[in-house]
Amino acid sequence: MPGPALPPPPPPTRIQAWLDRESLLADRARAMGELHRASIGVWRLAQLWLLVGGFTVGWVLVGAALRVFYEAIDVFSHMFGGVLVLLGTAFMVPTGLLIGFGLVRDGKVRARLREWSALGSDPARDARFTSPGLSLAWFVPSFLMCACGLWTCFAVPAGAEPGEDTVPEVVLLMGLGMILWLTGLIGVAKAVGHYRWALRLVPRRASAGTHV
């Protein structure tokens, strides 16, 4: 998902020219603060859900078009189905591209966080980047999405009854389950990745010492 420009990576070691260690740590903290917000901030989570919501609307329209084609009785039904496909595609293509661009951007954010954090150690300032509450805000709903989506993908086709459940209905529900599963997987991966990075950034003993 597009957003403000990211802080540049730190300069190569051979041309680093900070006056003293405090200047280096101040620039490091500033860059890491911006990258932290771009990585796991609340607005980033809201962006993901909004885009996935738009993609889901598109998929529902495509699923409705499949049902129209399946039950079509005349040429007007096919025309209406074609309109639904176009509308669904109009939702799915841009939101899908934005989600993909967002994942690429997340990779850049993670790389730059590692680069800036490797410049030194500053437990007193770094403790604020652990953000256990934000990690849980990403992990818990994402895990529930994963579980619900995975259950849907398996339960819907397994429980489909010939003559009662049509092929378009099964395809629609399985697609919704897949969307939930993939969205949850993105959130779980981000939460776990941030937790692992935070453990390396602020050792448990140092983190505990900052809260005494």
Side-chain angles (χ1 to χ4, degrees), residues 16-173:
Q16 289 177 1
W18 282 283
L19 296 176
D20 50 40
R21 177 172 172 77
E22 185 58 31
S23 298
L24 182 152
L25 293 178
D27 285 347
R28 174 181 176 272
R30 190 178 305 110
M32 287 175 60
E34 294 180 28
L35 292 167
H36 178 265
R37 287 190 294 273
S39 173
I40 203 170
V42 173
W43 176 238
R44 179 68 181 86
L45 179 60
Q47 280 183 315
L48 175 62
W49 286 356
L50 284 172
L51 288 175
V52 170
F55 189 90
T56 303
V57 169
W59 175 249
V60 170
L61 289 171
V62 171
L66 292 176
R67 181 166 185 171
V68 169
F69 290 138
Y70 186 79
E71 299 174 352
I73 57 175
D74 53 35
V75 67
F76 295 106
S77 298
H78 286 92
M79 290 175 62
F80 180 61
V83 171
L84 289 177
V85 168
L86 290 175
L87 288 175
T89 303
F91 275 95
M92 293 176 66
V93 171
T95 53
L97 287 174
L98 287 174
I99 292 171
F101 293 149
L103 294 177
V104 172
R105 178 182 169 89
D106 283 346
K108 293 180 180 178
V109 170
R110 288 193 301 271
R112 292 187 187 181
L113 270 174
R114 289 194 296 267
E115 292 171 354
W116 278 104
S117 61
L119 289 180
S121 177
D122 189 8
R125 288 173 175 167
D126 291 348
R128 65 190 175 101
F129 300 129
T130 57
S131 304
L134 279 175
S135 294
L136 281 176
W138 277 84
F139 181 83
V140 174
S142 297
F143 179 81
L144 294 176
M145 283 184 184
C146 269
C148 182
L150 204 59
W151 179 85
T152 302
C153 287
F154 285 100
V156 168
E161 295 290 340
E164 295 184 11
D165 300 295
T166 63
V167 172
E169 289 174 345
V170 173
V171 170
L172 172 63
L173 291 175

Side-chain angles (χ1 to χ4, degrees), residues 175-205:
L176 291 175
M178 185 64 68
I179 292 171
L180 281 175
W181 180 69
L182 291 175
T183 303
L185 199 60
I186 292 172
V188 168
K190 183 179 283 290
V192 172
H194 177 79
Y195 177 74
R196 294 178 61 187
W197 172 78
L199 283 182
R200 293 192 296 269
L201 182 68
V202 182
R204 188 179 300 272
R205 185 176 301 174

